[in-house]
Amino acid sequence: PECLAALNASCAELSTLSRNLHHLTSLLRQGHVTAAREDRAMLDTIGGDVRQHLQMAAGLLAELRPPRHTGAAPHRRPGATA
């Protein structure tokens, strides 16, 4: 519930980041370096922003994973040999 809302918001931020990066690369390809410098702050924090999103997503997915049954025989793929 709350975690899903936070993940949804984080995905939206990541989508915005992707659009901003596309815009930045377009500016640089066109030689608009001065305009591209305005996005410098975004580049300085992008690594941390993406890591934070991935950590949140991984944590939420771990919470949503069904519990493993202990003591059960391991599941084998059809056609696999022992």
Side-chain angles (χ1 to χ4, degrees):
E2 291 175 17
C3 293
L4 289 176
L7 181 60
N8 192 33
S10 183
C11 286
E13 288 179 30
L14 212 55
S15 178
T16 299
L17 182 63
S18 175
R19 284 190 304 275
N20 290 344
L21 279 174
H22 177 72
H23 177 70
L24 175 61
T25 56
S26 295
L27 288 173
L28 291 172
R29 267 194 305 265
Q30 296 167 9
H32 300 297
V33 177
T34 303
R37 283 191 179 133
E38 295 175 10
D39 291 331
R40 175 64 196 232
M42 175 189 60
L43 291 177
D44 290 340
T45 62
I46 192 170
D49 294 343
V50 171
R51 267 191 299 282
Q52 183 179 7
H53 169 79
L54 292 174
Q55 287 172 343
M56 180 193 325
L60 179 60
L61 290 174
E63 288 179 24
L64 295 175
R65 183 180 347 164
R68 291 186 177 187
H69 299 287
T70 57
H75 178 71
R76 293 188 181 173
R77 291 180 288 149
T81 58

